[in-house]
Amino acid sequence: PDRAAVSKTVWCSPDRAKAWRDLAGSGIVPAGEAACDNPIDANVTLAQTIGLRATPTVIFADGARLQGSVPAATLRERLARAEAAAVAAAPAK
């Protein structure tokens, strides 16, 4: 929520992809207005409603969450566990 104005400026930029790359890669906040029709407030409300408190957040099929920046090894391990659980739960062919 504290970055909503910046997010709106990115969304309202003529080239959203470039604005996002500049912000994420170099910290360059796009110039321009944040007054176009955008989904930012609705997204913030949804995140608050379902208890998301960090980005990125990965929600697994079993409801487990992995929030915030985590080491790559942790993400790989959690994805491997989720895949194993999905394979185990799949009906036999």
Side-chain angles (χ1 to χ4, degrees):
D2 57 323
R3 300 286 290 184
V6 172
S7 297
K8 289 175 185 177
T9 304
V10 169
W11 186 270
C12 296
S13 294
D15 185 345
R16 291 180 194 158
K18 180 182 181 323
W20 172 246
R21 284 191 307 271
D22 289 348
L23 179 62
S26 304
I28 299 169
V29 176
E33 295 295 318
C36 70
D37 188 30
N38 65 76
I40 306 304
D41 292 332
N43 288 349
V44 169
T45 299
L46 173 62
Q48 291 170 341
T49 300
I50 61 175
L52 298 182
R53 292 180 185 82
T55 53
T57 296
V58 179
I59 302 174
F60 296 92
D62 67 359
R65 296 179 185 194
L66 191 59
Q67 298 191 98
S69 178
V70 297
T74 300
L75 179 58
R76 281 192 296 272
E77 185 269 328
R78 292 293 300 272
L79 290 171
R81 281 196 336 215
E83 180 182 28
V87 169
K93 292 183 179 182

